[in-house]
Amino acid sequence: MVPRPLYLAFAALATTFATVACAQSNPVPPAEPPTRTATPVAPPVAGPAVAPVVDPRLERIGAAIEAAERGSFDAARDGDLTDHPLYRWVEYAGLRRDIDLITADRAMEFLQRYRGDAVADTFREVWLAAAARRDDDAAFLAAWSDQVDSTKLRCAKLGAQLALGRTDTQWTTDAQAIWNGSKGQSLPDDCDPVFAALAERGGLTGAMRWQRFDEAAAAWQPGVMRAIARDLPEAERVLAEDYAAFIDAPHTRALQWPKTERSRWVASHGLARLGKADPDRAEALLPQYASALQFTEADRGRALYMVALWTAASLLPESGRRLAAVPAASYDERLHEWQVRAAIARSDWPAALNAIRRMGDEQRNDSKYQYFEGRLAELTGDRASARARYAAAADQPEFHGFLAADRLDQPYALCPAQV
């Protein structure tokens, strides 16, 4: 059984604790005040009392916004609100409600009047979406701003330029940026005609298609892979569709795939995806695909990572063995943490301590892991190492720093109450 103090402390790994940041002028105290003596700090200098400012019209502004959203706002009755800084949001609410009825001139007047303000940026996206729905390309482009980062609207902008014959080198560059920046994820339907036109102009090469295809495999997006495959040459299309099918569900046809880097990439990601859903089956299937396609250590690690992660996360009995089977190069901070968790869950203090010491310096020197390294060293009889790690953690004005200070019977490190 896990000793109660260590178990309670380790439970904090699954919870985000508010840290007492020295840059904060009003640090938030812990839910239960510490019983130990804090490091003394100079008392704050008392300043003049400042009475809170109450906006007598704020409640009416809120009601006006709600009325505008319903279409029942009476401007004549609440005319004295027009000079309020938040009145623009009353206007926005009314415009948004009638977005498919207002004219382009009315929309542009609002955008110009509040240029640079958050209300204009918010309204712009609503207006652009409405203009795109009714294929009002001129109105769309007139209201466009390069600050808009919605992929759907960026494709709509390129579509409007295409419809008006305004395609140039920059148009091609912008379209390619969307294609290349998708990271294998699905893109809005508004992008389809843009990419079709890009391909017709020779701006969508086979290499670009395969790059996005590989990214889609890594993102476990077989639908995107199939969509890309449709536009590949016939000989490549058949294999690409079989690749997509493997991401959906591993099949034995893959054992006959060409022994290429792409085949290994797809197969290892397909097994990794299976490893999340069924670690036992993924582990059982891995050797035959690794042998048939000549997996590299990175390919094996990609699949073993997911097998180990989801075994550990499910607290299955094979977690220790499977975590140990993952190549060191395939480890990241998440897997290092789960290796510690799994070892503590089975009360294997030496394994948990070794798992922390395998971490990179940045992760290991977080006060959380400094504390746990100290606690685990203490449990395994290494009191000198325990005190050294406790001392390092206790310098930090954070939850685990306080726990470490308790182990050393020393005051907590706290930030000044006033900067």
Side-chain angles (χ1 to χ4, degrees):
M1 179 177 294
V2 182
R4 182 174 176 78
L6 181 60
Y7 176 81
L8 291 177
F10 195 80
L13 284 174
T15 307
T16 301
F17 284 88
T19 59
V20 184
C22 290
Q24 291 179 310
S25 58
N26 294 297
V28 179
E32 296 184 6
T35 56
R36 302 200 48 75
T37 304
T39 303
V41 296
V45 179
V50 179
V53 177
V54 178
D55 182 350
R57 295 187 291 174
L58 187 58
E59 186 173 340
R60 290 178 58 205
I61 282 288
I65 291 174
E66 292 177 0
E69 290 173 341
R70 296 191 303 268
S72 59
F73 175 66
D74 187 345
R77 183 189 63 197
D78 293 314
D80 62 314
L81 295 178
T82 57
D83 63 341
H84 194 284
L86 295 180
Y87 184 75
R88 62 199 65 189
W89 290 100
V90 179
E91 295 181 83
Y92 164 79
L95 291 173
R96 186 174 185 276
R97 182 180 185 278
D98 297 328
I99 195 66
D100 290 319
L101 302 175
I102 64 174
T103 65
D105 289 342
R106 176 70 183 93
M108 291 304 298
E109 185 277 330
F110 185 84
L111 290 171
Q112 291 295 330
R113 182 152 45 97
Y114 294 118
R115 180 188 302 179
D117 193 284
V119 74
D121 296 336
T122 305
F123 174 72
R124 188 187 312 279
E125 296 210 9
V126 176
W127 171 247
L128 289 172
R133 281 195 301 273
R134 57 177 179 257
D135 295 323
D136 192 342
D137 301 318
F140 185 101
L141 295 177
W144 179 258
S145 168
D146 287 335
Q147 300 303 312
V148 175
D149 62 1
S150 161
T151 300
K152 180 179 178 68
L153 292 177
R154 287 168 62 201
C155 281
K157 179 234 185 182
L158 294 171
Q161 290 176 314
L162 181 65
L164 297 176
R166 301 181 189 176
T167 55
D168 53 16
T169 302
Q170 187 60 51
W171 184 93
T172 299
T173 299
D174 292 343
Q176 289 174 333
I178 294 174
W179 176 274
N180 292 329
S182 70
K183 302 303 180 185
Q185 299 296 326
S186 179
L187 290 167
D189 292 343
D190 305 66
C191 298
D192 292 346
V194 172
F195 294 146
L198 182 66
E200 289 177 3
R201 289 162 169 74
L204 193 52
T205 65
M208 290 171 61
R209 293 185 190 278
W210 277 114
Q211 179 181 341
R212 185 164 177 241
F213 183 93
D214 292 342
E215 291 172 345
W220 303 350
Q221 293 288 331
V224 175
M225 296 168 71
R226 290 188 180 94
I228 296 170
R230 285 196 295 267
D231 295 316
L232 292 172
E234 181 63 18
E236 297 178 4
R237 181 188 61 77
V238 174
L239 180 57
E241 289 180 345
D242 210 37
Y243 282 155
F246 192 89
I247 296 293
D248 259 334
H251 53 70
T252 56
R253 295 188 304 278
L255 298 172
Q256 306 304 319
W257 284 350
K259 297 176 176 60
T260 63
E261 183 179 355
R262 177 165 290 115
S263 293
R264 291 188 287 271
W265 175 264
V266 172
S268 61
H269 278 291
L271 291 170
R273 187 188 192 200
L274 178 63
K276 179 177 180 178
D278 188 345
D280 292 343
R281 183 162 180 258
E283 183 183 48
L285 290 179
L286 175 59
Q288 59 181 311
Y289 292 100
S291 175
L293 298 174
Q294 299 176 356
F295 272 20
T296 65
E297 183 181 75
D299 297 322
R300 291 182 65 257
R302 201 169 290 127
L304 289 172
Y305 176 103
M306 282 296 171
V307 168
L309 175 66
W310 291 99
T311 300
S314 302
L315 299 179
L316 298 176
E318 292 293 313
S319 61
R321 179 183 63 78
R322 287 174 176 171
L323 284 161
V326 179
S330 297
Y331 262 77
D332 60 7
E333 289 192 0
R334 179 169 64 163
L335 202 61
H336 278 301
E337 177 166 321
W338 274 106
Q339 190 171 37
V340 178
R341 287 174 177 269
I344 287 182
R346 61 179 184 270
S347 301
D348 188 343
W349 314 137
L353 181 59
N354 184 57
I356 290 180
R357 288 174 174 170
R358 289 182 61 207
M359 292 176 171
D361 289 344
E362 183 176 355
Q363 185 179 16
R364 184 183 174 191
N365 290 327
D366 183 284
S367 64
K368 174 171 56 182
Y369 294 111
Q370 288 173 332
Y371 169 77
F372 282 111
E373 185 175 348
R375 189 73 181 94
L376 291 163
E378 187 175 11
L379 287 169
T380 54
D382 187 353
R383 295 187 177 276
S385 295
R387 290 189 65 83
R389 297 311 279 169
Y390 285 150
D395 286 339
Q396 301 301 314
E398 299 170 346
F399 177 78
H400 292 92
F402 301 154
L403 294 181
D406 281 342
R407 305 302 299 182
L408 296 172
D409 195 27
Q410 72 180 40
Y412 295 153
L414 296 178
C415 297
Q418 182 173 336
V419 177

